[in-house]
Amino acid sequence: MAAIPALFTSAPPIRDSLTTQTSESQDETVKVCLPFLSGQEPGTRNDYGIPHLSRDRHIKFLQTQLGELPGAFKAMDPGRPWIFYWCLAALTLLGEDVVSYRERLIATVRPMQNEGGGFAGGFGQDSHLATTYAIVLSLALVGGDDAFEVVDRKSMWRWLGSLKQPNGGFQMAVGGEEDVRGAYCAAVIISLLNIPLDLPTDSAAYSAGHTDLLSGLGEWISRCQTYEGGVSAKPGTEAHGAYAFCALGCLSILDSPHRAVPRYLDVPRLISWISSRQNAPEGGFSGRTNKLVDGCYCHWVGGCWPLIQASLGGPQEGPKAEDVNNDAAVEEAGDHSLFSREGMIRYILCCCQDTSKRGGLRDKPSAYSDAYHTCYVLSGLSSVQHKWTLNAARTDPSVERTDKWSVGPFKEGGQQIFDEEDRVRTTHPVFVIPQQKAEDMLNYFAAKTGF
Ligand code: FPP
Ligand code: K
Ligand code: ZN
């Protein structure tokens, strides 16, 4: 077995001598993670001292999460649409076919749609952008015309118009908070469903001079970049990794990332802040300055890297899907990563897996697994195991909402520290569902003119 690099098995060499509550929880986190990183916990490891992906246990965990809720697939709890997305997306990443959930999902989400547009978390509740986003992605994951046809695009358009604010941003619900999640969720919904951009004339944003659902959105996001270089929920608050991803994802829908991201964000300062999110020895990412690593940030922060790299490099030739097992093509990918892929892989496979019978993935070894962390840790694993390349930028940004991306495997310096059996499926860097599923939905609605 190759030695595990000391970076991942020992406390940081430089320490601040001031003890605070923050430094104590950080020390405690390192203490909890080290036995998992250095191979002192029981279980089989590969040649690099890394545990295998407990794929079958994670699949069982997700099936239980989908199935065991009281009255499975019956609408009550406002957070349930998230469970659908997290579980269906995670099962897909693990290689499971989720088409069999199509009928159940359709029957469950239909009553969640409001006549006034959008989806609520349950029958009789108000529509919310987060639940609508989760449901649209879940429908894309199960796929098929019947699933796509559940969405009433005309009322969705009206509702989105009522969420659009005079300052360019989006409220999460009518009268609700305006934040960068709203910007990302709205942009994903608008693009996947090919929602016409003309603002309804009764929209407050229309009265303020906007004519277009997406106009002024980039400028609004720009105001969310903070003095630290990261992105906050709304102007004037603390930068957080989840919002950095939402900002980059939203901008990558407004226009190709190499154009939209530098147009609205100070990229060097953003890179400096995102880079500071990765910790050693843990290898994972924190969500904000002076806070702890957490597996879900393998997506919210780790998932920023492909978008940053596309922003920096612009359109390039990249590995093709069919090259997954072609080493020659892989070597060409080179390693121009701006972060430690090895650290991220070690944190995920060593620290984030519940390898007991329970299965599932988690924030850190001291936390229980849940559907949310299972989804986003696996999304992060997929991102770090692959290389996404922006192949061709859209030619007409005023009508096209996406670019051409390709994906291939990634091997650090030609050396791969995880075993091939532990590779998960790919997920689109902007939509966070498989590229084919996103394209199926995009193509279905692209064929519709108007409503
Ligand atoms: C802090 O939690 C977490 C936040 C401030 C951001 C939460 C937002 C998301 C997870 C993303 C939402 C995205 C969409 C698309 C709806 P904490 O204080 O418990 O964690 P921390 O200590 O790690 O910051
Ligand atoms: K957290
Ligand atoms: Zn978390």
Side-chain angles (χ1 to χ4, degrees):
M1 190 180 98
I4 302 170
L7 178 64
F8 304 113
T9 58
S10 32
I14 302 171
R15 279 187 59 93
D16 190 324
S17 57
L18 180 70
T19 300
T20 62
Q21 204 183 339
T22 303
S23 72
E24 282 171 353
S25 11
Q26 174 57 30
D27 289 347
E28 180 57 28
T29 301
V30 169
K31 207 172 104 193
V32 165
C33 291
L34 276 179
F36 288 87
L37 291 160
S38 57
Q40 287 153 29
E41 289 295 316
T44 325
R45 290 174 181 253
N46 73 6
D47 291 347
Y48 297 89
I50 298 179
H52 290 285
L53 180 68
S54 298
R55 194 183 294 268
D56 295 342
R57 290 191 169 179
H58 302 327
I59 290 172
K60 283 218 177 70
F61 174 79
L62 291 161
Q63 288 166 340
T64 308
Q65 291 288 306
L66 264 180
E68 105 188 329
L69 299 159
F73 274 105
K74 256 189 259 134
M76 279 318 288
D77 160 26
R80 291 201 51 230
W82 274 122
I83 305 277
F84 308 156
Y85 168 68
W86 296 329
C87 292
L88 295 172
L91 284 167
T92 305
L93 281 162
L94 291 169
E96 292 293 285
D97 184 353
V98 298
V99 170
S100 61
Y101 290 99
R102 182 186 291 156
E103 300 314 320
R104 281 167 77 194
L105 184 76
I106 290 175
T108 307
V109 304
R110 220 189 270 286
M112 294 175 165
Q113 186 163 222
N114 281 313
E115 258 178 49
F119 291 84
F123 180 76
Q125 298 170 12
D126 286 338
S127 293
H128 196 278
L129 264 181
T131 50
T132 303
Y133 162 86
I135 286 175
V136 168
L137 291 189
S138 300
L139 291 170
L141 282 165
V142 298
D145 297 3
D146 291 352
F148 300 159
E149 282 299 329
V150 168
V151 181
D152 178 347
R153 289 165 63 250
K154 182 149 194 194
S155 66
M156 183 74 80
W157 166 76
R158 286 206 155 278
W159 178 64
L160 288 167
S162 70
L163 299 176
K164 175 82 175 173
Q165 296 301 294
N167 63 16
F170 281 89
Q171 287 181 339
M172 295 301 288
V174 176
E177 66 278 40
E178 179 188 28
D179 62 38
V180 76
R181 291 172 308 159
Y184 172 65
C185 293
V188 167
I189 293 163
I190 289 167
S191 88
L192 286 178
L193 302 178
N194 189 27
I195 299 288
L197 293 185
D198 299 332
L199 264 181
T201 53
D202 57 359
S203 162
Y206 185 85
S207 314
H210 290 289
T211 53
D212 178 324
L213 273 171
L214 297 176
S215 71
L217 191 54
E219 286 80 359
W220 186 83
I221 286 178
S222 193
R223 295 175 49 215
C224 297
Q225 187 166 26
T226 78
Y227 69 92
E228 289 190 286
V231 178
S232 56
K234 56 184 185 217
T237 60
E238 186 186 4
H240 196 282
Y243 304 128
F245 179 81
C246 290
L248 289 168
C250 178
L251 292 176
S252 303
I253 289 171
L254 296 180
D255 195 357
S256 307
H258 65 297
R259 291 193 292 250
V261 175
R263 189 181 299 151
Y264 296 111
L265 296 174
D266 181 330
V267 179
R269 288 174 57 236
L270 178 62
I271 291 174
S272 153
W273 183 87
I274 297 183
S275 302
S276 308
R277 302 278 61 74
Q278 193 166 24
N279 271 14
E282 305 96 298
F285 300 91
S286 63
R288 44 185 165 147
T289 306
N290 279 331
K291 302 247 22 199
L292 308 171
V293 288
D294 175 340
C296 64
Y297 302 135
C298 289
H299 166 68
W300 298 116
V301 179
C304 287
W305 290 118
L307 299 176
I308 294 273
Q309 291 191 303
S311 306
L312 294 174
Q316 324 234 316
E317 291 220 0
K320 308 285 184 302
E322 57 270 23
D323 291 335
V324 166
N325 295 311
N326 178 349
D327 280 344
V330 170
E331 298 307 325
E332 269 173 46
D335 179 12
H336 303 292
S337 303
L338 293 166
F339 64 107
S340 167
R341 288 190 185 249
E342 171 163 3
M344 187 168 157
I345 291 168
R346 286 188 183 277
Y347 186 68
I348 292 173
L349 292 172
C350 298
C351 296
C352 295
Q353 298 195 81
D354 184 332
T355 54
S356 78
K357 249 190 94 190
R358 173 183 168 86
L361 294 106
R362 61 196 179 194
D363 161 349
K364 53 176 67 66
S366 53
Y368 282 109
S369 58
D370 58 41
Y372 165 84
H373 286 92
T374 303
C375 172
Y376 291 120
V377 172
L378 291 175
S379 301
L381 180 59
S382 174
S383 168
V384 73
Q385 288 177 329
H386 297 95
K387 181 184 166 70
W388 280 92
T389 305
L390 177 68
N391 284 146
R394 66 197 82 179
T395 48
D396 185 354
S398 69
V399 292
E400 291 168 90
R401 303 268 71 85
T402 49
D403 304 293
K404 268 204 171 358
W405 292 83
S406 70
V407 64
F410 190 99
K411 291 186 183 177
E412 193 138 18
Q415 188 186 60
Q416 180 173 303
I417 60 169
F418 62 90
D419 289 19
E420 201 48 44
E421 66 186 89
D422 299 327
R423 183 186 293 283
V424 297
R425 296 282 171 91
T426 61
T427 187
H428 191 285
V430 175
F431 298 110
V432 203
I433 52 176
Q435 186 171 32
Q436 189 58 53
K437 303 270 185 184
E439 279 173 6
D440 288 349
M441 193 175 237
L442 284 161
N443 292 336
Y444 183 82
F445 291 116
K448 306 218 173 203
T449 47
F451 297 106

